[in-house]
Amino acid sequence: MTHGYTTGTGANPEPAGSYGTPYAGAPNGGDPYGVAGVPYAVPQQRTTQPAPEPGTAPAPAPAAKKPGRDRYLDLLRSIALVRVVVYHLFGWAWLSVVFPSMGVMFALAGSLMARSLKRPAMSVIRGRVRRLLPPMWAFAAVVLAMMFMNGWNPADDPDRGGTWGLIELFNYIVPIGAPPYPWHIGSQSGLLEDTWAVQAAGPLWYLRAYLWFVIASPLLLWLFRKAPWPTLLAPLGLTAIVGTGVVTIPGETGNAVTDFAVYGGCWILGFAHHEGLLKQIPRYVSVSCASLIMAFGLWWASNHLGPDGWDLNDIPLAQATWSFGFVVILLQYSPSWRELPGRLAKWDKLVTLSNNRAVTIYLWHNLLIMATVPIIDLAYRLPFMQSERAVAALDGAYTIWMFALVWPLIGLMVLAVGWVEDLAAKRKPRLWPNGTKRSAGSRPGARAAHRG
């Protein structure tokens, strides 16, 4: 099960919420503070104050601090996005072990979903779907236009053609299934390699899985509150059935069920984090159990290596157990930062930007990785690149140049279409939402618009 992870040329993700919204993992409705901005774990000292004079109003209570984002979780999401880009660029299988990005992103999304379900379930689902679809439509419009311009006709596709191929185009509008795309399009001597459509559509499996998790979340959260441990561990049991060949479900239906099982444990771990279940367990117990589960995942992987060796994306049960244990440890040690501490503070703007544009970065990064190739190829035409030594030097550093170039391209894409995420979230469109305060202008008393 590679889901398009064939480069090596793998959300938000959860769509990043508006900065300044309550954090899901804290008690008291999302406020990491107890009452009136006072840490809930600290007993309060009584003070004796003189009674107010008759006829005078009591002094106003101090305003409660406005809860903010948990910057630790924001940092995890940013690391996960960077890891996905690096994995798809270099194709290093060991990255799936060092940091299981997809499990982390599903866990963070599950925590945010549990927080949101304090409101009516249908309104929450509508809101999540609304924030997901417009960025996908912008991506699908460009990709489909490129496919059609290269002569692809879904009705004539030898793999998924006919009427069914046309019906499956609906998945570019609402990702309830797998969207159709040609395995080879164009020519190998074209600007993009002839498998570019496969690579471009690869990230869409995440949106399908995310959508199904969102729809199932009201039921999953109800089950979790009724029976937390069976609900938390059930996805691992389901993965042992559908992800090991005990029960085989053919086609994309099987891929969708397997995805749901593999990452379901991480999604429900997000519930456990929000509900405070993980904090009720002694740290040494949870870390020890998580380590045993992770050790089982590595043992299973060692006996079921796929075509890319230790790439856990090809080994469902290993991916499920390793990601589950990894996420338990990350959430158990969650420090709930209000601000990034120490040296991490210098990354604050990039963390804010990546969280506000998580869907855009995730959707477009594969296509942008491929777009670096024709740009770098232009260097071979430069006058000083005509010697064999110069050509060999560029060949040897080709992937490094791709890595250096893809980030400016991602930045340009954030500027070009990232604002669609703001429209989808019913926010004012912003070109570069990195948390920097805008100038107050000439108006006296004007406040800078700042989210984060």
Side-chain angles (χ1 to χ4, degrees):
M1 182 182 63
T2 61
H3 308 298
Y5 291 101
T6 55
T7 54
T9 342
N12 13 64
E14 166 77 3
S18 168
Y19 276 71
T21 57
Y23 159 55
N28 301 307
D31 191 351
Y33 289 84
V35 180
V38 180
Y40 59 83
V42 180
Q44 299 307 298
Q45 178 182 5
R46 293 189 177 185
T47 57
T48 302
Q49 295 180 352
E53 295 292 334
T56 61
K65 293 182 180 180
K66 186 177 180 181
R69 299 277 298 199
D70 187 325
R71 300 301 278 166
Y72 174 73
L73 300 185
D74 288 345
L75 178 64
L76 290 182
R77 184 178 292 107
S78 298
I79 294 173
L81 285 170
V82 172
R83 206 283 283 161
V84 167
V85 176
V86 173
Y87 169 80
H88 284 167
L89 178 59
F90 292 98
W92 293 331
W94 52 267
L95 284 174
S96 64
V97 178
V98 172
F99 195 88
S101 285
M102 306 317 299
V104 172
M105 289 199 291
F106 278 117
L108 301 181
S111 180
L112 292 175
M113 189 67 186
R115 181 201 68 185
S116 298
L117 283 173
K118 294 177 181 178
R119 306 193 307 272
M122 288 307 300
S123 66
V124 173
I125 293 174
R126 284 197 301 269
R128 295 294 183 195
V129 172
R130 185 194 68 240
R131 292 167 66 178
L132 177 71
L133 295 185
M136 179 182 171
W137 293 340
F139 174 79
V142 173
V143 171
L144 285 174
M146 292 173 63
M147 292 180 187
F148 294 147
M149 289 173 60
N150 279 273
W152 178 62
N153 184 350
D156 297 333
D157 193 294
D159 297 316
R160 304 159 74 177
T163 303
W164 187 248
L166 294 173
I167 294 175
E168 285 187 328
L169 287 175
F170 179 75
N171 290 306
Y172 282 104
I173 301 175
V174 180
I176 58 176
Y181 48 81
W183 284 90
H184 297 278
I185 188 170
S187 64
Q188 294 184 355
S189 60
L191 285 178
L192 300 177
E193 58 177 294
D194 62 349
T195 61
W196 68 264
V198 180
Q199 308 302 330
L204 295 181
W205 76 269
Y206 176 90
L207 274 67
R208 175 185 65 190
Y210 174 80
L211 178 61
W212 282 113
F213 278 128
V214 166
I215 294 172
S217 281
L219 175 60
L220 291 175
L221 186 57
W222 179 83
L223 290 172
F224 175 78
R225 287 170 174 168
K226 292 292 183 181
W229 292 109
T231 306
L232 186 60
L233 299 176
L236 297 181
L238 180 59
T239 305
I241 296 174
V242 301
T244 61
V246 174
V247 174
T248 302
I249 304 175
E252 284 298 330
T253 301
N255 288 336
V257 173
T258 302
D259 293 337
F260 195 89
V262 167
Y263 298 106
C266 294
W267 186 274
I268 298 173
L269 276 174
F271 293 174
H273 175 258
H274 173 266
E275 297 288 303
L277 177 65
L278 295 179
K279 295 300 182 183
Q280 298 174 13
I281 307 170
R283 181 172 291 176
Y284 74 92
V285 173
S286 61
V287 172
S288 298
C289 293
S291 299
L292 290 175
I293 294 173
M294 295 168 69
F296 170 81
L298 291 182
W299 171 81
W300 183 268
S302 67
N303 292 281
H304 299 82
L305 297 180
D308 296 319
W310 282 87
D311 194 331
L312 299 187
N313 293 297
D314 299 328
I315 316 170
L317 185 57
Q319 177 75 287
T321 50
W322 179 262
S323 298
F324 186 93
F326 198 95
V327 167
V328 167
I329 295 174
L330 286 179
L331 296 183
Q332 182 64 273
Y333 281 89
S334 176
S336 298
W337 293 326
R338 300 296 297 275
E339 297 179 356
L340 293 178
R343 295 181 179 180
L344 292 175
K346 65 182 180 181
W347 301 99
D348 182 81
K349 293 181 181 180
L350 288 178
V351 170
T352 300
L353 178 67
S354 63
N355 276 264
N356 277 318
R357 292 295 179 259
V359 178
T360 299
I361 295 170
Y362 183 79
L363 277 174
W364 290 91
H365 77 273
N366 252 8
L367 193 58
L368 296 177
I369 287 174
M370 289 178 287
T372 63
V373 174
I375 297 175
I376 297 174
D377 283 349
L378 295 175
Y380 289 102
R381 303 180 184 180
L382 297 175
F384 57 85
M385 289 295 300
Q386 303 310 309
S387 67
E388 293 184 3
R389 183 176 180 180
V391 171
L394 182 56
D395 288 343
Y398 202 98
T399 309
I400 301 299
W401 283 108
M402 292 175 66
F403 176 80
L405 187 57
V406 72
W407 301 108
L409 292 181
I410 288 175
L412 290 175
M413 192 56 64
V414 165
L415 290 172
V417 299
W419 52 267
V420 176
E421 291 194 52
D422 291 327
L423 294 181
K426 295 185 176 180
R427 296 193 298 259
K428 183 178 180 180
R430 299 163 294 170
L431 289 179
W432 197 254
N434 65 350
T436 301
K437 294 182 179 180
R438 287 182 281 183
S439 173
S442 58
R443 291 183 302 159
R447 290 190 175 186
H450 173 55
R451 295 183 182 269

